[in-house]
Every structure is written in C-alpha cells, then in structure tokens.
Amino acid sequence: MKAFSILLEQLYYTSGNKAKAQLIADYIANTPDPDRGWAIAAMAGTLRFDFFKRNTVKKLITEHTDSALFAMSYDYVGEVSETVAHLWPYSEPTDNLPSLTEVVETFASVSKQKVSETLANYLTIMTPAQRWALLKLGTRGLRIGVSARSIKQILADYGNKDIKEIETLWHAVTPPYTDMLAWLEGKADKPDIENAVTFHPVMLSHPIEDSDIDAFTENTWQIENKYDGIRVQLAVKTGKVSDENEPDKALFSRTGDDISHSFPDLLESVNGNMVLDGELLVIHNAENDQGSKTRGEASTKTHDDSSATQSNAALQPDVDTFNALQQRLNKKKPSKALQSSAPVGLIVYDALVLNGEDLTEKTLKARRQALEKWFSENSNNRLFLSETLTATSPQSLRKLHTQVCQNRAVEGLMIKRLDSKYIPGRPKGKWFKWKRDPLVVDAVMMYAQRGHGKRSSFYSDYTFGAWEDNQLLPIGKAYSGFTDEELKKLDNWVRRNAVGRFGPVREVKKELVLEVAFDAAHPSSRHKSGVALRFPRIHRIRWDKPADEADTLANVKALIEQ
C-alpha cells in the first residue's frame, strides 16, 4: 500500500504523459504480484466493486469530527477524499502498512457492518497521502490523468507487444492479471481466451464537420439512422463455453460493463457464435414472433434531391423513445411486467464475429453483406438489421438529416466509409456522427455549487429554473458548455450575487439568464417542476436578457417527447 500511495502522489504531480508512463512502468517492474495487478486495475478502472461508498466516508468523518468543521473544510477543499485525508483526527502512522493486496482482500471479505470500523483503523495508521490513496482506491475515484487506453499502451510497451494483443485480452482477463503479466515478461504462454465470452473494444465515430458534408460522395459511405438508445455489444458463444459456471452469452455497454442482468429477455432469445454491435432500444414489436426471417432482411430508405422512400415499412421495428428505455436501465432484476410493457430489442449495426468468423479485418461493405446473409438465414424476433439510407449529394445528405431528425426515436445519422475495417478506438476519417441540433431554452440561474478537482475553487455547477406564474421551479443542473474564461466570469457573478447558503450550495439573485442546450425533455415525478432534461449544458450566457423574459415551464413541457 505504501508503494501504491507513493505512485499515486507522483502521478498526481506529474504532468507529461511520457513521464507518467515511465512511473507506471517502473512500478510494474519493481512491484511483486499481485499488488501490481491490483494497482493496474485501480488505475484502469477495472475494479468491479467499491470497498466503501462516499456516504460511508462522510458519515465516518462526521462521527469523529465536528460536522460543521467538515462542511466548511469540504466547501473550501472541494473534494471529499482530500478533506478527510487531512481532517482525520487520529494519527498513528506505521512503516508496516498492509500490502495493497491485503487491503483489497480485506474489504472484499469484510461484512457490511464492519466496513466503517475497518476503514477507520486503516486511516489511523496512515499518513494523509496514504489516506488519500486509500479513499480514492476504495471509492473507485482515481483521477490521475491516466486513461485505460494509456494503461494498455504502457503494458504493451512493457512487454514489447502490439497494443491490439492487449486490447484483445483486456476484457477476458481479470485483476490482478498475474497470467497476463507473466506472459508480458516472457515467463508464461499467452492467456487462452478462445472460448471466453468477452467484450471487444468498440469502434467510435467523430462528430461531422461542414467540410466532411461538403466532401460527401455517393457510393463511398454507408448511411444509417443514429437511434436514441444505448450502444451495446452482444456476445454469444452457445455450446462453446466449457466451464458450466461461465456464461455463454452476455450484453455489454460500450465501455465494457456487463449489463446482462438487466435484459434477460434479449439474451434468452439469442444463440450462436457471434459478436454484434448495435443499439439497444425499447421495440414494441420485438416480442412478436412473426415474419422474423423476412423482417431481418436488409431494407433500404433511398433519398434523392426531392424524395425518400422506404421498402418493407410495415416490417420495421416499432421503436420507442429513450425515455421508455430509461425504465429498463440499471434494473438488476426487471420484473416480468416491466419486460412485457417495455420489451427490448437490438438494432444491429455491425458484426465483429459471425458464425465464429472474425470479421474485424474485413471492410464494412463485406461485414454488411455477411450480416444480410445471416439475417436471411436466421429467425430472431428481437434482432433487427439496421436499414441503410442513401443520399446522392451533400445537398441531399442535408435533406436526409433534416428528415430523419423528425423521428424522436432517432437522434441523427451515422455515416461510415464502406472500406473501413473495424478498428477499436476513434480512427480519423472512418465514421462520422451527425446528431440533431440540440433543444434550447432560456432558464434562470437559481443556485450554484463549487466543482471538484481542478474546479474546486470555482462555482461551476449551476441549478436553473423556468417560470410558472411568478415562481421559478428548478428544471435541471449543468456544469459544462462554457469556456474557462466564462467560468471565471460566472464564478465572480455568483460571489457578488449570493443571497443564501445551504452548506456548499449558494442561492443567488434570480437575475442571470442561461441559454441551456439539451437533447430531450422527459416527464419526471422526482422534480417539483415535473420535467427533467437529458444532457443539459450551458449553450450561452445571456448577460443581456432580463430574467422575466426567460422561458416558462409550459414552454419547456411543450418540448417533452410524446
């Protein structure tokens, strides 16, 4: 634990990527198993459990110090772990700290009733820097400027391997990575993951620019709807997994989180040996086991400069909005009633593996042809092949974008080069996303709160509201969309116009109008206003606009998706 604490402190105060990479490589080379593996997991974000919750830490510190002192200290510091690390009142530091592995295993096995006591004992025998490392580790809150991708590259360089080999292994091996590290050091064979059901890193797109649209040419690109669901990867190896305790199918989020437990209705419907890339949505005809084979055939919308037509329209998925899908998200055990009222299906965009064959080195055109053939030969009532759209010129592409955005289940277009291989990450010039223009309302700032980390000295989190008669009702909170210079001006305004205080929150004069952009509005029983905004961000600061000219709650509710 001592060496891990030193590493984190060095990383925190080191700015260059190469210098950070060297520090981590030196740690890996000089730290024994399994400590180094747990450290890798902590830095890469692959620890799959919290040792303790942030609320546990807050409750513990207020039980041992004055709650008002903690509140003032937290308000000043702006970060819980650092505040507690310095404020903890007991100090009996020891050179004989437990190893990182001992700490991990202790919290993995300790009962919930003993977590606070165990944490208190550790905090007492540590220095402030070591406490900070423990608290960050335990809440999975490490932010040291090192991404998971960087960790993979560091491991590849350490073992003199291609990063693609690390990417392939990454989600099939688990912390503390002893087998993988032994292979990297030439002490063991490469871990065998042939029959493992594992996540494959996804290929991502770039936001489209006007120059990309102007350069559009026919027959070079595949165009599809960008549905407003969640990007997922469906991995299936039925009949291939030898260990009865290991799953033979799984559903992963785009970041590799296993979300299978939330969508048993989809998983129960699939068999085979494949890895599909697609959009998870509530699809109301997903349960109907009729015409599945025909529905699976690729259908195409065409669009020229004057019109668009759709074939097999009656066979297309009946897609609901993201608001409907939210009912299913983060449900560990969805009820049968919920599965029936909000049935999920998958609109398949791409295939990484099909019938056991790896397709990632093939072009998108070839992968699409393979998918069309698979859908023509296989019947599944929850899988739908994404339809392709056609535009003949930059002008018709713009018209097509306007047209598809009229469907609230669609948030824009995906435009992909037909000759693109499936490359993990965000390769330049291969895939573009063209999202709909955001919705915008003028809202009034009501409250402000200091940010965290580098923003802990600034009031950067803003709650805003809309008018109902002569009363402002909160409709959302935003902490992005403004420049550093604008942040300084906003912070200065908050300090000069604060009229009340509620712990770390400042109430301000109801005078500043914020133009807020967001993706969608939804009904919400959790908010007094009855509405919630999706992905709100500050679009513009309306220093010039009187607060009484801001939008009404009725205006906002009129934007709710039907």
Side-chain angles (χ1 to χ4, degrees), residues 271-282:
N271 291 289
N273 187 356
M274 58 189 177
V275 178
L276 303 179
D277 182 351
E279 196 84 7
L280 185 72
L281 298 146
V282 168

Side-chain angles (χ1 to χ4, degrees), residues 255-293:
T255 55
D257 293 324
D258 191 332
I259 57 174
S260 304
H261 55 274
S262 295
F263 305 100
D265 41 347
L266 173 61
L267 286 176
E268 288 167 1
S269 74
V270 295
N271 291 289
N273 187 356
M274 58 189 177
V275 178
L276 303 179
D277 182 351
E279 196 84 7
L280 185 72
L281 298 146
V282 168
I283 301 178
H284 289 291
N285 56 339
E287 289 186 305
N288 299 333
D289 194 9
Q290 58 180 6
S292 305
K293 202 166 185 176

Side-chain angles (χ1 to χ4, degrees), residues 149-387:
R149 172 77 177 180
S150 297
I151 292 293
K152 295 171 193 174
Q153 186 63 62
I154 291 166
L155 290 170
D157 293 342
Y158 177 73
N160 196 26
K161 306 292 184 184
D162 190 313
I163 192 172
K164 290 182 180 179
E165 291 190 86
I166 307 297
E167 292 275 16
T168 302
L169 281 176
W170 189 250
H171 291 277
V173 294
T174 56
Y177 304 124
T178 50
D179 291 343
M180 181 177 68
L181 287 166
W183 165 65
L184 290 175
E185 294 176 331
K187 299 175 182 177
D189 293 334
K190 185 176 181 179
D192 182 8
I193 62 167
E194 182 179 354
N195 292 323
V197 175
T198 183
F199 174 74
H200 296 61
V202 298
M203 185 170 176
L204 302 170
S205 59
H206 288 271
I208 200 164
E209 303 286 347
D210 286 340
S211 58
D212 301 316
I213 300 170
D214 292 337
F216 175 84
T217 55
E218 191 179 9
N219 301 323
T220 304
W221 304 89
Q222 176 172 299
I223 309 171
E224 299 166 282
N225 286 313
K226 186 181 191 305
Y227 283 95
D228 192 12
I230 62 170
R231 176 96 173 267
V232 295
Q233 187 178 104
L234 177 64
V236 185
K237 283 192 176 181
T238 50
K240 297 292 183 179
V241 178
S242 57
D243 188 342
E244 294 182 358
N245 296 318
E246 293 294 324
D248 59 4
K249 58 183 85 169
L251 189 69
F252 299 101
S253 72
R254 59 179 284 174
T255 55
D257 293 324
D258 191 332
I259 57 174
S260 304
H261 55 274
S262 295
F263 305 100
D265 41 347
L266 173 61
L267 286 176
E268 288 167 1
S269 74
V270 295
N271 291 289
N273 187 356
M274 58 189 177
V275 178
L276 303 179
D277 182 351
E279 196 84 7
L280 185 72
L281 298 146
V282 168
I283 301 178
H284 289 291
N285 56 339
E287 289 186 305
N288 299 333
D289 194 9
Q290 58 180 6
S292 305
K293 202 166 185 176
T294 305
R295 185 173 65 230
E297 294 176 356
S299 66
T300 303
K301 273 187 182 178
T302 61
H303 186 89
D304 56 23
D305 287 332
S306 60
S307 64
T309 59
Q310 176 181 344
S311 63
N312 297 326
L315 301 176
Q316 292 307 300
D318 180 12
V319 177
D320 212 326
T321 63
F322 183 81
N323 190 37
L325 180 63
Q326 279 190 309
Q327 304 172 58
R328 295 291 307 267
L329 301 180
N330 301 317
K331 290 283 193 302
K332 291 185 177 180
K333 291 184 179 180
S335 66
K336 291 294 184 181
L338 180 59
Q339 293 180 48
S340 179
S341 64
V344 295
L346 184 68
I347 293 186
V348 179
Y349 295 142
D350 211 333
L352 289 73
V353 177
L354 206 55
N355 295 325
E357 180 186 0
D358 187 337
L359 303 181
T360 56
E361 290 297 316
K362 295 182 179 295
T363 65
L364 173 60
K365 183 177 182 178
R367 299 197 304 274
R368 174 73 187 196
Q369 290 170 346
L371 269 174
E372 291 176 1
K373 183 174 186 294
W374 186 90
F375 269 90
S376 71
E377 297 172 348
N378 292 272
S379 175
N380 187 292
N381 58 314
R382 290 189 185 267
L383 301 182
F384 297 79
L385 181 59
S386 173
E387 58 182 333

Side-chain angles (χ1 to χ4, degrees), residues 429-446:
K430 301 298 183 182
W431 289 8
F432 293 105
K433 58 184 175 184
W434 189 0
K435 298 181 71 172
R436 69 167 75 244
D437 292 334
L439 301 171
V440 177
V441 295
D442 286 337
V444 181
M445 186 190 295
M446 301 175 67

Side-chain angles (χ1 to χ4, degrees), residues 91-106:
S91 180
E92 300 174 13
T94 176
D95 288 332
N96 297 316
L97 282 180
S99 67
L100 180 56
T101 301
E102 289 178 83
V103 172
V104 171
E105 292 177 346
T106 295

